[in-house]
Amino acid sequence: MSQADLAARLGLKYYTFISQVENGFSRVPTDIMGAWARELGLEPAAFARHLLMYYEPEMHRLLFGAESK
């Protein structure tokens, strides 16, 4: 799926936002995280948990311990 396709499916105005997320310049917005996961064929809770590991590593450690990725 292209960045433009994903942006359209998520109702985003600019497909370049997808690129910003992919390159670490922006984060997946919490309010559309579930929809983003579903569009990628992923379970939303697992997707959110995985992102939390990168966005807030200390919070992830406190919530889930030193579990592997």
Side-chain angles (χ1 to χ4, degrees), residues 17-55:
F17 179 69
I18 306 298
S19 176
Q20 291 172 347
V21 170
E22 288 178 351
N23 289 299
F25 296 113
S26 193
R27 294 180 174 197
V28 175
T30 306
D31 60 326
I32 62 169
M33 198 175 283
W36 195 304
R38 286 185 290 277
E39 289 298 334
L40 296 177
L42 303 169
E43 196 277 317
F47 184 63
R49 183 174 172 173
H50 187 78
L51 290 176
L52 185 63
M53 186 171 46
Y54 292 99
Y55 295 167

